[in-house]
Amino acid sequence: MTNTLKPKIASSSALQQPTTVFFNGRGGTGKTMLARLHAEWALHNHVEFRILDLDRTNATLSAFFPDHTDRPPTADDNDVMNYLRDAINEQTTKHHHLIIDFGGGDLILKSLASRIRLVPFFRQYNIRPVMFHHFGADPDYLSFMQYFEKGELFSPDATVLILNAHVKPERLSVTSAFEQTIMPHEIYKGAKARGAKFVVMPDLHCAHQIDRHRLMFYEAYEGRDSLKPDRPPALSPLDRAELGMWLEDMENQFAKLSCWLPWLPAKRGNGS
């Protein structure tokens, strides 16, 4: 991976169609962390986007991307629902890309999908909906995905299954953990059969350090602490090396989804 702040964008083919990305799942599965990475890719590649921060207990995205983030005035169900509806309505006319992050297990999107056939709606306005489902290695994590997949409540063609390697028993490898707990279940196999894509989100031990110092991922990798430029880097050399491998892994795994997502960096070869 090259030591650069701005990853080279993979393709401009997806830029012509506005995209709405939904980050869904139970708490602690890496939704906000991955939303931050995608927002950073969009920012680096000068892609016009807005973030809708609907996490009612944690304003992380608002803190990292204040100039791109909108947030409801309160955590009340009506305020959150109205903010979600307004953001989608605005996208139909302004045609920007929209990143939406929900709090763990939040059912606001399910409520909206029960009132409106969202896939045909987005198709009518030439918007591509992309659904991210986040899992840990426990069958209970599938219950949230089942809300949307059962009866095709909201199951767009562009569906990404994110398996968080951090949320697994320590005694098992990532492959063994998910093969035993998630992959045998019908709801998972059904999504894969209809074309959903599978991504493993590697564990990142220094993630809490990056959060605590409010660093962008690529800033942290380069050893630049934008909040305290006169002090040593927030991450140790080993942490930076680990982060570099994590970023390269994420870039390479998501490169295969460039037809769905407009801001993805190009896949990097070994030693690049």
Side-chain angles (χ1 to χ4, degrees):
M1 180 177 152
T2 56
N3 192 8
T4 176
L5 179 65
K6 296 185 178 182
K8 181 181 178 182
I9 198 165
S11 169
S12 61
S13 61
L15 291 173
Q16 304 304 316
Q17 185 176 15
T19 301
T20 302
V21 185
F22 300 89
F23 288 88
N24 291 275
R26 285 173 51 180
T29 53
K31 298 184 306 300
T32 301
M33 183 176 178
L34 198 56
R36 278 171 46 205
L37 179 60
H38 281 260
E40 192 169 334
W41 282 338
L43 189 65
H44 289 169
N45 289 296
H46 307 291
V47 175
E48 186 177 354
F49 72 104
R50 297 298 303 169
I51 298 171
L52 189 60
D53 187 352
L54 298 184
D55 189 330
R56 308 188 200 205
T57 61
N58 192 342
T60 300
L61 288 172
S62 302
F64 274 92
F65 304 96
D67 295 335
H68 292 82
T69 303
D70 301 306
R71 186 172 174 84
T74 77
D76 177 78
D77 278 356
N78 289 329
D79 281 345
V80 175
M81 175 63 81
N82 288 336
Y83 226 72
L84 175 59
R85 295 175 69 106
D86 289 347
I88 293 173
N89 281 329
E90 181 181 48
Q91 189 188 28
T92 65
T93 58
K94 293 191 175 180
H95 309 297
H96 52 246
H97 303 292
L98 186 60
I99 294 172
I100 304 179
D101 184 40
F102 296 91
D106 197 303
L107 298 179
I108 285 293
L109 181 58
K110 179 193 173 188
S111 179
L112 180 63
S114 68
R115 305 178 194 182
I116 300 169
R117 295 184 178 89
L118 286 174
V119 171
F121 172 84
F122 284 119
R123 185 181 302 120
Q124 177 183 354
Y125 289 95
N126 194 35
I127 296 171
R128 178 190 296 106
V130 182
M131 186 70 133
F132 277 53
H133 289 293
H134 291 250
F135 305 99
D138 187 314
D140 288 346
Y141 285 96
L142 290 168
S143 61
F144 192 77
M145 176 180 171
Q146 189 169 7
Y147 284 137
F148 298 97
E149 290 288 319
K150 190 174 181 179
E152 298 183 347
L153 181 66
F154 184 40
S155 52
D157 292 339
T159 295
V160 187
L161 309 176
I162 306 293
L163 303 187
N164 189 335
H166 179 69
V167 189
K168 69 172 184 64
E170 290 187 9
R171 62 184 175 83
L172 296 176
S173 69
V174 174
T175 301
S176 297
F178 290 113
E179 281 182 349
Q180 294 178 24
T181 61
I182 296 295
M183 297 178 182
H185 285 264
E186 294 302 319
I187 193 69
Y188 178 88
K189 291 192 291 186
K192 285 282 291 179
R194 68 173 180 79
K197 305 300 182 183
F198 169 75
V199 171
V200 174
M201 184 176 174
D203 195 6
L204 181 62
H205 295 285
C206 60
H208 68 285
Q209 285 284 91
I210 298 170
D211 291 347
R212 184 164 66 87
H213 290 276
R214 284 289 186 262
L215 292 174
M216 297 290 188
F217 292 107
Y218 289 88
E219 285 181 340
Y221 170 56
E222 293 173 357
R224 298 189 304 108
D225 186 338
S226 60
L227 297 181
K228 302 170 184 175
D230 58 332
R231 297 187 182 182
L235 300 185
S236 70
L238 282 176
D239 285 340
R240 290 170 57 196
E242 180 194 9
L243 175 58
M245 288 187 64
W246 186 87
L247 288 170
E248 184 175 332
D249 195 341
M250 288 287 86
E251 291 175 7
N252 289 343
Q253 287 196 70
F254 276 100
K256 63 189 177 186
L257 305 181
S258 60
C259 59
W260 289 351
L261 296 162
W263 47 70
L264 298 179
K267 183 175 181 179
R268 299 180 187 275
N270 293 335
S272 62

